[in-house]
């Protein structure tokens, strides 16, 4: 996974966490939910990329 993809996922997670906190402070359930969803989606993307990288590493190990 490239550094750019990792950075994008991290920014997305941070943005979701910020929305979630603002929703907590303003008692806005919709914003809190949107933030949690955004944060979860970014974590899922990150996990998918990690799995893809692990698969490539295994493939490379067998090709050597």
């Amino acid at each position: 996974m490239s550094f750019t993809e990792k950075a994008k996922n991290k920014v997305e997670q941070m943005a979701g966490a910020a929305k979630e906190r603002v929703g907590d402070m303003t008692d806005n359930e919709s914003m809190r939910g949107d933030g949690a969803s955004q944060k979860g989606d970014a974590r899922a993307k990150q996990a998918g990329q990690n799995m893809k990288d692990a698969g490539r590493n295994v493939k490379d190990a067998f090709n050597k």
Side-chain angles (χ1 to χ4, degrees), residues 30-51:
S30 177
M31 185 175 279
R32 188 180 307 155
D34 288 345
S37 176
Q38 184 177 5
K39 190 168 62 170
D41 289 346
R43 285 183 179 167
K45 286 179 192 176
Q46 186 71 31
Q49 290 294 331
N50 289 341
M51 291 299 293

Side-chain angles (χ1 to χ4, degrees), residues 3 5 12-13 15-16 18-19 23 27 29 35 37 39 42 48 55 61 63:
F3 173 77
E5 291 170 342
E12 192 73 19
Q13 283 180 15
K19 277 186 186 178
D27 202 27
E29 288 293 324
S37 176
K39 190 168 62 170
N63 287 335

Side-chain angles (χ1 to χ4, degrees), residues 9-25:
N9 289 333
K10 193 56 151 175
V11 167
E12 192 73 19
Q13 283 180 15
M14 291 171 38
K19 277 186 186 178
E20 198 171 10
R21 283 189 207 113
V22 170
D24 282 340
M25 290 188 298

